Amino acid sequence: QPGLIERDRQLVQKKVDDALRDSESRLQSLVTSISDLVFAVDLEGCFLFYHAPVPPSADTPIVSMKEFVGYRVRDTMPTAVAEVLEQSIEQVTQTLRTHPLDYSIEVDGELRYFSARVSPMITEKMKLMGVTVVARDITETVEAQQRRQRVLELDQLSRAITGTFFQADSADVVIKDALRQIGEFMGVTRILVFQPRENDSIVDCT
């Protein structure tokens, strides 16, 4: 009964196709709900999939998957980011292990920091076909750490200057040393000090 066999085969194939589409829909829905950046890259460095979280600002356009899929990493990302990503991809393909990756990139004129995990993407037949990358925006965390570090350095500077005032015998020496330390802290090489002359309207620049 060739006709019945063919009909049964078509029914089975239809069920398989429906199941695959349903699975893909659920996966797409799951990825869409993730607030992290998720994308997949093949062994040639081309995007297979790209999901960007909805930007917090309504003024920032939503990135479409079509802007990346099919294009090479080097053609869509800044050179510095593309290079570290390609190096990480090479490590993953060689070790078949997940590797961490931290990078920064300018978005809408603002430097954003990301922490990512790059994992091997393997087919059911145990064939490596590329990598998946899940990147989280950690800008707020990094900036908070930078502020804490800056406050700590400022406190250390204040203590050092205070100690100099108590230890030195000459006020001029104290002032010069304090200005040197402040200059190093602020990243400047020259500080101008204006001193008014006694009983005169003229000031000297030192």
Side-chain angles (χ1 to χ4, degrees), residues 2-148:
L4 292 176
I5 294 176
E6 178 61 21
R7 186 184 65 180
D8 291 341
R9 188 192 67 79
Q10 291 178 355
L11 289 174
V12 171
Q13 184 63 45
K14 184 177 183 305
K15 289 182 179 180
V16 171
D17 292 341
D18 290 342
L20 286 174
R21 280 193 294 268
D22 185 55
S23 176
E24 290 175 356
S25 297
R26 289 199 300 269
L27 178 60
Q28 180 64 39
S29 177
L30 174 63
V31 172
T32 302
S33 66
I34 296 176
S35 59
D36 297 333
L37 172 64
V38 182
F39 59 89
V41 180
D42 66 16
L43 298 178
E44 301 300 322
C46 293
F47 286 98
L48 298 172
F49 173 84
Y50 190 94
H51 162 73
V54 177
S57 173
D59 297 329
T60 303
I62 299 176
V63 179
S64 170
M65 186 189 302
K66 295 180 181 179
E67 297 180 33
F68 287 88
V69 173
Y71 293 93
R72 293 174 58 85
V73 170
R74 281 188 169 271
D75 298 332
T76 54
M77 289 190 166
T79 302
V81 177
E83 288 178 351
V84 296
L85 180 57
E86 288 176 345
Q87 292 173 3
S88 185
I89 291 174
E90 184 177 355
Q91 289 179 329
V92 171
T93 55
Q94 290 178 352
T95 63
L96 296 181
R97 294 181 178 179
T98 298
H99 284 260
L101 172 65
D102 294 328
Y103 66 93
S104 59
I105 187 172
E106 189 171 298
V107 180
D108 295 332
E110 178 185 3
L111 187 63
R112 309 292 298 182
Y113 298 88
F114 292 87
S115 178
R117 294 181 65 81
V118 185
S119 304
M121 184 168 54
I122 301 175
T123 66
E124 294 180 355
K125 296 182 179 180
M126 301 304 294
K127 180 180 179 181
L128 179 68
M129 62 178 295
V131 301
T132 56
V133 181
V134 179
R136 173 164 297 180
D137 189 329
I138 59 170
T139 303
E140 292 184 1
T141 301
V142 171
E143 290 179 344
Q145 292 174 344
Q146 291 174 342
R147 287 193 295 270
R148 286 195 294 269

Side-chain angles (χ1 to χ4, degrees), residues 102 130 156 185:
D102 294 328
Q156 293 173 341
F185 178 77

